[in-house]
Amino acid sequence: MTKFFIQTWGCQMNEYDSDRIRDLLKSQNWQETPEIAEADIVVLVTCAVRKKAEDKVYNQLFSWKHKKLLKEKAIICFGGCVASEDGKKVLSEAPMVSVVFGPQTIHRLVSMINEVRENGRKVVDVSFPDIEKFDFLPSPAGRNGSSAFVTIMEGCSNFCTYCIVPYTRGQEMSRSPEAVLEEIRILTDQGIREINLLGQNVNSYSGVYASGKRCNFAELLYLVAEIPGVERIRFTTSNPHDLTDEIITAFRDLPQIASSLHLPVQSGSDRILRLMGRKYDREKYFEVVTKLRDARPGISISSDFIVGFPGETAADFRDTMDLVDRVRFDQSFSFIYSPRPGTPAASLEDNVSLTEKKERLYELQNRINFFAQTYSREMLDTVQNVLVDGLSVKNSQELRGRTDNNRTVNFPGDPALIGTFRTVKITYVMAHTLRGELVRE
């Protein structure tokens, strides 16, 4: 039997693509293996957002090769955003690779693998066909756990000056609402209770019904909430520029929407935001946050930050810290600026020293960690609605779940509860997780 191995780097959209690749390969009666040495097919789904993530992929490949972990005739398939960015260059950088495919061509992977098997020719297909891949992928099957990702749109048309995504995933293309809703129904029939809607910018979703009428993201949220079995909805990533009043109203109207939102801001300086090509300023961001907290009191807001963008001064960074103090973020993904070849920002003079970048990153992360710990302490002795999604990572005798505001909580319980919502009282607070006990219902 043909066995395949998948390794994934990067964002949740890459995780979704990997799940759909699993569906595709399993439809050929191929079997997934967790052991690289057993694999006849090795699939890498890569991330190009930062140079460090790109380097990890090539380092992993050569590490496997050096340790002789790859089967002699294994077909190595190199996909994702690095593949889309580098194209044929991948074959020269990593000669052991036989197939190079992009995010929009995952549905062609089996035919590419068969072509290699039949004639020994290497295949590269990183084209940007219309959003056809969803029409050719099999239905999602055999999902484990209680939560699943559903991509509602591909690509991005914002062209922020630092970002490679529009060049690796193409411009925005939205799936039809009928296709999205049907995929969610299939997942809920398998026991999925939490749906994570994905897109590079979900707020700008604009799907077209079979009738020709357009569906915006706010409307889609109401439609998803009507599906039996959907008990919690999350979505990412949101651009503040497109977070409309209608979407904010959905937070007020739909209890299924989780009380947490990832809302990337990148910088608190208007000058840097303009250089980044973001389409909002700090006051617009504050306005959106205020409306969200009015619609859903207690909502948890996380964000992304880029530290040390070319030209960032100490005053610009102070504006960022001021924004952090005013919003009091619950969590952040914060990174030192990484120039990506081919983006407008890559031509700017990178005039912030590495020492200064590291100091700013340390200060930013410390401040946000302080707020995160404050929020966690406020949850002590509270009762939370927790979706049980598996066994505890550190203690297989306990369960792990996630609260509405996206906190991990571990607690004693029967594994039969996995996939259900349970009421849990928070009894202990740690740096990044919570402990609790089941409330007998």
Side-chain angles (χ1 to χ4, degrees):
M1 174 177 286
T2 297
K3 292 185 178 181
F4 68 90
F5 172 92
I6 298 179
Q7 183 152 336
T8 310
W9 290 265
C11 69
Q12 291 158 319
M13 293 195 73
N14 278 2
E15 295 285 351
Y16 174 84
D17 283 349
S18 295
D19 280 342
R20 304 302 276 125
I21 290 170
R22 285 186 179 89
D23 295 331
L24 183 66
L25 301 187
K26 287 179 179 179
S27 73
Q28 305 299 304
N29 292 320
W30 298 349
Q31 179 183 350
E32 185 170 14
T33 174
E35 301 296 332
I36 183 71
E38 296 180 357
D40 306 291
I41 310 292
V42 176
V43 181
L44 311 177
V45 181
T46 65
C47 173
V49 171
R50 279 170 289 278
K51 183 67 167 63
K52 186 176 180 180
E54 185 174 331
D55 290 342
K56 281 182 179 179
V57 182
Y58 288 111
N59 291 341
Q60 180 68 87
L61 262 177
F62 283 99
S63 173
W64 285 332
K65 184 76 172 175
H66 176 71
K67 295 176 182 177
K68 295 182 168 56
L69 293 177
L70 297 171
K71 272 189 174 182
E72 184 180 350
K73 294 186 178 180
I75 296 176
I76 313 299
C77 306
F78 193 109
C81 290
V82 177
S84 184
E85 179 186 21
D86 288 355
K88 290 183 179 180
K89 179 184 170 187
V90 172
L91 301 180
S92 58
E93 294 283 337
M96 70 285 286
V97 171
S98 296
V99 174
V100 182
F101 65 100
Q104 304 299 348
T105 54
I106 65 174
H107 59 296
R108 301 175 184 172
L109 184 56
V110 170
S111 64
M112 289 187 265
I113 291 170
N114 288 337
E115 187 172 341
V116 174
R117 281 177 160 175
E118 290 165 11
N119 59 39
R121 252 198 330 264
K122 297 190 176 187
V123 183
V124 177
D125 186 351
V126 292
S127 58
F128 290 99
D130 286 339
I131 202 159
E132 69 175 39
K133 75 179 184 184
F134 297 99
D135 297 329
F136 292 92
L137 290 170
S139 296
R143 292 292 184 266
N144 296 318
S146 51
S147 179
F149 297 127
V150 176
T151 290
I152 65 171
M153 63 184 299
E154 290 273 353
C156 183
S157 300
N158 285 323
F159 288 93
C160 299
T161 61
Y162 55 84
C163 186
I164 196 70
V165 168
Y167 309 97
T168 59
R169 283 188 173 265
Q171 295 195 44
E172 290 173 359
M173 295 180 287
S174 296
R175 298 176 68 188
S176 73
E178 291 96 338
V180 171
L181 299 173
E182 178 60 20
E183 183 172 334
I184 293 172
R185 290 188 190 97
I186 291 170
L187 290 168
T188 56
D189 287 345
Q190 297 175 42
I192 298 298
R193 292 294 168 258
E194 178 182 272
I195 298 296
N196 293 266
L197 303 174
L198 298 180
Q200 249 69 46
N201 178 17
V202 290
N203 299 341
S204 62
Y205 171 83
S206 182
V208 180
Y209 289 101
S211 65
K213 180 190 171 197
R214 287 208 170 267
C215 174
N216 64 26
F217 184 55
E219 182 178 342
L220 184 69
L221 287 172
Y222 285 89
L223 294 172
V224 172
E226 290 176 0
I227 297 176
V230 175
E231 298 183 51
R232 182 180 283 167
I233 302 169
R234 299 188 191 275
F235 57 88
T236 193
T237 296
S238 285
N239 190 309
H241 173 69
D242 300 307
L243 193 69
T244 64
D245 288 345
E246 290 77 14
I247 297 172
I248 293 171
T249 299
F251 275 91
R252 184 197 66 196
D253 293 347
L254 302 176
Q256 293 96 328
I257 298 180
S259 290
S260 63
L261 180 65
H262 190 63
L263 194 62
V265 64
Q266 308 301 357
S267 173
S269 162
D270 284 343
R271 191 179 72 85
I272 296 299
L273 289 172
R274 285 194 297 272
L275 288 173
M276 289 179 167
R278 304 293 280 181
K279 298 175 182 176
Y280 55 86
D281 58 21
R282 54 188 281 126
E283 288 307 317
K284 169 66 176 178
Y285 192 88
F286 290 139
E287 178 186 330
V288 168
V289 168
T290 298
K291 288 180 178 179
L292 276 167
R293 287 177 167 158
D294 286 344
R296 180 68 67 87
I299 189 172
S300 168
I301 298 176
S302 59
S303 197
D304 290 347
F305 290 90
I306 296 174
V307 172
F309 189 81
E312 182 186 73
T313 64
D316 293 321
F317 181 67
R318 295 265 65 83
D319 282 345
T320 294
M321 293 304 298
D322 174 71
L323 181 140
V324 167
D325 284 339
R326 288 176 62 179
V327 176
R328 299 171 66 90
F329 293 99
D330 189 35
Q331 186 184 3
S332 79
F333 297 96
S334 310
F335 302 95
I336 288 172
Y337 169 72
S338 172
R340 308 307 295 133
T343 62
S347 63
L348 298 175
E349 181 186 359
D350 192 359
N351 54 1
V352 185
S353 72
L354 182 59
T355 299
E356 186 68 21
K357 289 175 182 177
K358 288 181 176 179
E359 289 175 353
R360 291 175 187 177
L361 181 66
Y362 180 79
E363 182 180 351
L364 175 68
Q365 290 179 328
N366 266 2
R367 191 60 178 160
I368 293 177
N369 284 341
F370 168 78
F371 291 127
Q373 291 171 10
T374 300
Y375 288 128
S376 291
R377 285 193 293 270
E378 290 172 354
M379 295 177 70
L380 186 63
D381 293 329
T382 64
V383 173
Q384 301 289 326
N385 188 31
V386 173
L387 177 57
V388 187
D389 55 16
L391 299 176
S392 171
V393 173
K394 293 186 177 179
N395 183 352
S396 60
Q397 302 303 306
E398 294 188 343
L399 301 178
R400 179 195 68 235
R402 197 161 288 277
T403 64
D404 197 45
N405 65 347
N406 213 23
R407 285 284 196 290
T408 296
V409 54
N410 297 301
F411 55 94
D414 189 332
L417 298 179
I418 294 173
T420 66
F421 280 88
R422 283 294 181 267
T423 304
V424 175
K425 182 178 180 181
I426 306 305
T427 59
Y428 192 75
V429 174
M430 289 171 283
H432 301 290
T433 59
L434 308 170
R435 287 195 57 77
E437 58 186 27
L438 281 168
V439 175
R440 300 299 170 189
E441 297 169 335

